[in-house]
Amino acid sequence: MASHIVGYPRMGPKRELKFALESFWDKKSSADDLKKVAADLRSSIWKQMSAVGIKYIPSNTFSYYDHMLDTTSMLGAVPPRYGWNGGEIGFDTYFSMARGNASVPAMEMTKWFDTNYHFIVPELGPDVKFSYASHKAVDEFKEAKALGVNTVPVLIGPVSYLLLSKPAKGVEKTFSLLSLLPKILPVYKEVISELKAAGASWIQFDEPTLVLDLDSHQLESFTSAYADLESTLSGLNVLIETYFADLTPEAYKILTGLKGVTAYGLDLVRGTQSTELVKKDFPKGKFLFAGVVDGRNIWANDLASSLSTLQALEAVTNICEFIFQCTDNLVVSTSCSLLHTAVDLVNETKLDDEIKSWLAFAAQKVVEVNALAKALAGQKDEAFFSSNAAAQASRKSSPRVTNEAVQKAAAALKGSDHRRATNVSARLDAQQKKLNLPILPTTTIGSFPQTVELRRVRREYKANKVSEDNYVKAMKDEIKKVVDLQEELDIDVLVHGEPERNDMVEYFGEQLSGFAFTVNGWVQSYGSRCVKPPIIYGDVSRPKPMTVFWSSAAQSMTKRPMKGMLTGPVTILNWSFVRNDQPRFETCYQIALAIKDEVEDLEKASINVIQIDEAALREGLPLRKSEHAFYLKWAVHSFRITNCGVKDTTQIHTHMCYSNFNDIIHSIIDMDADVITIENSRSDEKLLSVFREGVKYGAGIGPGVYDIHSPRIPSTEEIADRINKMLAVLESNILWVNPDCGLKTRKYEEVKPALNNMVAAAKQLRTKLASAK
């Protein structure tokens, strides 16, 4: 039996690509230096998979930013504002699209399905002139071949590319993106022809949108697209890869009926019903790439269970003309790209041995895939399977997983919706009397730039090279610097800058029971941004206060309101590797109770404004509409649990970013926060359209006025123009002025002028509003 990997992490086991990218962006190294690091990483990945015994090894899954942007480059679909004049797209144009530059903003960035990975959204319209402008897919196939590794080149499929795009500015929102299929398919044909000429025998098209709720026209687009490509694909084995959810029966029928297609990749971890579709009707002579090894979590595969699933599928997919003459049409695969998991467990020297035995990172998952393929072929590694079974049993029986008091407290939550006693309008009046804020109050989202020196102190403190007293002094000095800067800029509601936090989720997880942490368990979020998700292995509780000391210290430095900064339960859940032995909502309720304790301790410490970030609430929304209501019910309820007991005068903020919020706006209202700050500027102010369409929002709201993921500094006039657009659909007495997101990834030389312009714009409009009365 053969084995296959959908895709692999790009950053490297110790974030080598991240550091190379940032060095290049800071002009400390050359393009050749960056390319050398990238080539070394690709070579290592291909050789590793080959050595393990993987048959179908992917290429073109590496990216300098993201694979959708790579496809935009391949198609030459560069928005005119970047001044590209044709030819092979280079780093200047590529990174300007991703990050913006001094004169033009970046393209919109949003979440990749229901993951914490982000992609750059293509901007398309009827006048786009598509052309073959990046030969990356072919170049990387040839690169692997020169190393002696025959790979399966991977492309984002043409239909998914269009369905994940948006109409460009100035193009009617009703424009049919799928009408561009005839214009992009010629470029795909050029790429396919070059890959064939280079010696490719397989090609993989990722068409993940097949798992979404698609109408008949959208589904038929897959049929027409691959019918058009059929003659060009002749001579190649073609794999259509899907992931993240089940296929509907209609989508499965379309998929298995595509012309010129040899194989179908299905996620059998999150798509458990797809197994039944295969058993019921699988086309003869075709290959099934069975995604039984989870590409989105870090738990070791239950090999015995997976082998049982594969054996049941083997009977359906294999063709036997005569006894002992069977065609092996079942390929063992990952459920999706391993991009969404950490790289290699070998690098984790500080993890508890018992917990470590329960885990598998990308490198270990590659081994699991191959072990299952060999077992299916009658070459079962009994020792490996026995060790795996022992680890599975250890995890189920370990006393460290269960805390009866926590489970009892979570169970007691049933029967109440945990709403605050007073409505938001009355609360805002009470809060205004206490806080005395101006109209259009200014604030930031939480974090301030994390300097090299700050990171050094934090790192050395963790390594016991800096005493606790010196660490606390360094953090307080940094907080004082941030507080003084905000007062100098005349910001109304301050933050302490979060100098003690490397990551908003990791920081809280380190102080909650039931969490484990890695040293090098990094996962790419976007570009060079990596996160290190904590591992939730057991029941969650809060042993002691987590943020009260720092928030109180910051408040003592100013007379202005200082926000207490917390991460909400849904975001902690969605940005962690979550235990898979109980429903996610049960774990979320446990986290909510822990955050509730922290909120109430902050209030007792006279912190009158508390922000509970739920940046990832939308991200966790299931891909199927039929599952939305249940998720939103428990997710919103979890947030309300955290703050249901505070006084009317305590102002509860929340923050959300980089997702499409319009379709869940009523659930956002149901969260019952006093103020929500929400990403807006980078997504072309899509958020405002929901208010233009008549949705009434009575709580405070701060749609972001500038994009913090770009080094570009917006002018006062530009920010004022954004605020005016907001005032056209929102009442001035509920509008806040703030950036899109936290400032951690920016430099102070970018942050200071941008915030100065933001405050100036707010003051300008306050004067205008006052004179209009």
Side-chain angles (χ1 to χ4, degrees):
M1 291 295 170
S3 50
H4 165 252
I5 305 297
V6 177
Y8 203 80
R10 309 157 180 159
M11 284 289 121
K14 297 188 177 176
R15 297 181 292 165
E16 291 86 347
L17 182 60
K18 168 191 170 65
F19 299 122
L21 282 166
E22 291 174 355
S23 177
F24 174 70
W25 292 337
D26 290 341
K27 302 190 186 322
K28 294 178 181 176
S29 61
S30 68
D32 285 343
D33 293 332
L34 175 58
K35 290 176 182 177
K36 172 72 166 54
V37 171
D40 288 346
L41 286 171
R42 288 193 296 267
S43 171
S44 172
I45 291 166
W46 291 328
K47 288 178 178 177
Q48 174 193 347
M49 289 195 212
S50 181
V52 168
I54 301 299
K55 180 175 181 180
Y56 299 110
I57 297 172
S59 60
N60 197 42
T61 59
F62 178 88
S63 178
Y64 288 105
Y65 210 88
D66 96 79
H67 55 319
M68 281 290 286
L69 184 61
D70 293 346
T71 309
T72 293
S73 298
M74 182 186 85
L75 295 169
V78 181
R81 64 180 177 275
Y82 298 108
W84 177 66
N85 295 313
E88 189 81 2
I89 289 174
F91 281 158
D92 283 351
T93 300
Y94 182 86
F95 288 127
S96 289
M97 289 191 286
R99 307 176 72 237
N101 56 44
S103 56
V104 291
M107 296 167 70
E108 179 184 350
M109 181 169 71
T110 196
K111 297 287 176 72
W112 179 247
F113 293 80
D114 57 348
T115 75
N116 188 30
Y117 178 73
H118 301 64
F119 73 96
I120 303 297
V121 183
E123 303 172 11
L124 305 178
D127 299 327
V128 176
K129 302 286 190 276
F130 296 100
S131 63
Y132 187 12
S134 171
H135 292 67
K136 176 179 174 295
V138 178
D139 291 344
E140 289 186 14
F141 174 80
K142 290 179 177 177
E143 183 184 326
K145 192 174 181 183
L147 295 169
V149 182
N150 193 30
T151 60
V152 179
V154 179
L155 301 176
I156 293 290
V159 182
S160 288
Y161 177 78
L162 293 177
L163 289 175
L164 294 169
S165 301
K166 70 172 187 177
K169 205 164 188 177
V171 175
E172 288 291 329
K173 298 303 178 189
T174 56
F175 174 70
S176 171
L177 293 161
L178 289 173
S179 69
L180 297 173
L181 260 178
K183 293 186 176 182
I184 70 170
L185 289 178
V187 179
Y188 273 88
K189 289 176 182 178
E190 287 187 72
V191 179
I192 293 163
S193 296
E194 283 197 9
L195 287 168
K196 283 169 69 173
S201 58
W202 278 83
I203 187 169
Q204 175 179 319
F205 291 99
D206 280 8
E207 292 282 13
T209 56
L210 270 167
V211 306
L212 302 178
D213 293 314
L214 302 179
D215 61 35
S216 58
H217 171 66
Q218 292 168 324
L219 286 172
E220 285 301 325
S221 295
F222 290 93
T223 302
S224 59
Y226 286 93
D228 194 326
L229 292 173
E230 183 181 15
S231 60
T232 309
L233 290 168
S234 178
L236 281 172
N237 290 297
V238 179
L239 165 63
I240 306 295
E241 186 65 53
T242 70
Y243 35 79
F244 299 152
D246 283 306
L247 292 171
T248 64
E250 294 79 13
Y252 180 76
K253 184 177 180 181
I254 289 289
L255 172 66
T256 54
L258 294 178
K259 292 185 177 179
V261 173
T262 317
Y264 318 107
L266 302 180
D267 181 340
L268 302 182
V269 176
R270 290 189 172 228
T272 53
Q273 300 305 309
S274 294
T275 305
E276 298 308 310
L277 292 172
V278 172
K279 290 178 180 178
K280 185 177 179 181
D281 182 25
F282 190 78
K284 291 182 180 179
K286 302 294 184 179
F287 288 75
L288 173 63
F289 281 57
V292 293
V293 173
D294 193 351
R296 287 184 58 174
N297 216 327
I298 43 67
W299 302 109
N301 187 272
D302 185 338
L303 295 178
S305 176
S306 292
L307 184 58
S308 176
T309 298
L310 290 165
Q311 287 168 337
L313 291 170
E314 185 180 30
V316 178
T317 58
N318 288 353
I319 303 168
C320 296
E321 294 182 3
F322 304 100
I323 196 164
F324 306 127
Q325 291 186 14
C326 293
T327 305
D328 291 336
N329 284 24
L330 182 63
V331 178
V332 182
S333 184
T334 53
S335 64
C336 62
S337 173
L338 297 175
L339 170 70
H340 308 287
T341 191
V343 180
D344 195 343
L345 199 54
V346 169
N347 297 315
E348 301 307 324
T349 55
K350 295 183 179 180
L351 259 181
D352 175 282
D353 284 344
E354 182 183 33
I355 292 175
K356 193 172 181 178
S357 74
W358 302 342
L359 308 178
F361 290 0
Q364 288 69 47
K365 289 176 185 291
V366 170
V367 173
E368 288 178 339
V369 167
N370 200 57
L372 285 165
K374 290 175 72 175
L376 204 57
Q379 302 168 39
K380 185 177 180 183
D381 184 334
E382 295 292 351
F384 187 70
F385 270 71
S386 177
S387 173
N388 175 267
Q392 298 292 324
S394 160
R395 186 175 165 215
K396 286 177 182 175
S397 62
S398 176
R400 68 199 306 176
V401 170
T402 305
N403 181 324
E404 288 186 16
V406 170
Q407 292 192 352
K408 188 179 291 186
L413 294 170
K414 294 173 183 175
S416 171
D417 61 4
H418 296 89
R419 292 183 184 275
R420 292 170 76 178
T422 312
N423 68 44
V424 69
S425 178
R427 297 198 309 262
L428 288 174
D429 287 344
Q431 292 156 14
Q432 179 58 16
K433 286 174 185 173
K434 185 163 191 173
L435 299 173
N436 193 28
L437 297 172
I439 199 164
L440 305 180
T442 55
T443 190
T444 63
I445 304 306
S447 61
F448 264 65
Q450 301 246 328
T451 63
V452 172
E453 175 62 16
L454 179 60
R455 292 178 188 274
R456 181 192 66 78
V457 172
R458 207 166 50 220
R459 185 171 59 248
E460 291 187 356
Y461 173 65
K462 283 195 170 185
N464 296 316
K465 294 179 181 178
V466 170
S467 71
E468 183 161 358
D469 286 347
N470 286 339
Y471 170 74
V472 169
K473 182 181 183 303
M475 294 301 106
K476 284 186 173 180
D477 288 347
E478 184 69 18
I479 291 170
K480 185 71 167 69
K481 181 176 82 172
V482 170
V483 169
D484 289 349
L485 173 60
Q486 291 171 94
E487 289 194 326
E488 176 191 328
L489 292 167
D490 204 18
I491 290 172
D492 299 303
V493 176
L494 311 190
V495 298
H496 76 288
E498 303 176 8
E500 78 284 11
R501 307 178 194 182
N502 177 63
D503 176 86
M504 61 189 286
V505 173
E506 181 183 359
Y507 175 80
F508 289 97
E510 284 178 337
Q511 300 180 78
L512 294 169
S513 64
F515 282 75
F517 293 87
T518 63
V519 175
N520 288 297
W522 297 100
V523 178
Q524 184 182 18
S525 179
Y526 62 87
S528 68
R529 170 80 171 136
C530 297
V531 294
K532 197 164 48 166
I535 299 164
I536 305 177
Y537 68 83
D539 291 334
V540 177
S541 63
R542 186 197 72 146
K544 62 182 181 179
M546 302 179 285
T547 65
V548 176
F549 175 81
W550 300 114
S551 292
S552 298
Q555 184 65 80
S556 72
M557 299 173 187
T558 181
K559 292 182 179 178
R560 301 186 185 209
M562 173 64 62
K563 285 197 277 193
M565 300 299 305
L566 305 176
T567 302
V570 185
T571 296
I572 290 176
L573 183 87
N574 285 334
W575 286 357
S576 298
F577 290 125
V578 183
R579 57 189 295 189
N580 57 1
D581 59 345
Q582 71 177 16
R584 288 172 70 87
F585 70 84
E586 290 186 13
T587 303
C588 198
Y589 284 153
Q590 293 176 2
I591 302 169
L593 287 171
I595 300 300
K596 181 176 186 289
D597 290 343
E598 188 71 14
V599 169
E600 291 171 3
D601 280 345
L602 282 168
E603 185 182 57
K604 288 172 188 171
S606 300
I607 302 299
N608 297 314
V609 182
I610 302 171
Q611 181 170 308
I612 308 167
D613 284 350
E614 282 296 12
L617 187 140
R618 172 61 175 80
E619 174 187 311
L621 191 70
L623 300 179
R624 286 288 163 66
K625 290 178 182 175
S626 61
E627 300 170 18
H628 286 189
F630 178 67
Y631 167 79
L632 289 168
K633 182 179 179 180
W634 63 255
V636 169
H637 187 195
S638 294
F639 176 81
R640 288 202 306 262
I641 288 167
T642 65
N643 60 88
C644 63
V646 300
K647 303 172 197 168
D648 287 356
T649 51
T650 298
Q651 190 167 83
I652 299 296
H653 288 224
T654 191
H655 170 68
M656 296 182 176
C657 57
Y658 300 105
S659 289
N660 182 7
F661 301 105
N662 293 25
D663 55 349
I664 64 163
I665 190 66
H666 293 289
S667 294
I668 291 173
I669 293 170
D670 198 38
M671 291 169 72
D672 199 28
D674 297 311
V675 178
I676 180 169
T677 52
I678 194 163
E679 181 271 324
N680 170 67
S681 63
R682 185 156 182 176
S683 57
D684 289 336
E685 299 165 336
K686 278 191 299 191
L687 174 70
L688 299 187
S689 66
V690 78
F691 302 112
R692 294 189 190 103
E693 291 161 7
V695 170
K696 299 299 179 186
Y697 195 78
I701 183 166
V705 297
Y706 78 90
D707 173 26
I708 62 84
H709 286 102
S710 170
R712 181 174 170 273
I713 298 165
S715 67
T716 300
E717 293 71 27
E718 180 183 332
I719 294 174
D721 180 59
R722 287 193 187 277
I723 299 171
N724 271 320
K725 289 178 182 176
M726 297 170 193
L727 286 168
V729 294
L730 294 165
E731 297 294 331
S732 59
N733 66 329
I734 64 168
L735 186 62
W736 285 64
V737 177
N738 46 264
D740 265 352
C741 204
L743 303 169
K744 179 191 297 185
T745 60
R746 300 270 54 89
K747 300 182 176 69
Y748 272 105
E749 55 264 35
E750 299 159 352
V751 165
K752 290 178 183 178
L755 289 180
N756 185 67
N757 293 348
M758 183 187 83
V759 173
K763 288 181 175 180
Q764 187 183 106
L765 286 163
R766 283 176 199 158
T767 303
K768 182 179 175 183
L769 288 168
S771 64
K773 287 184 178 179

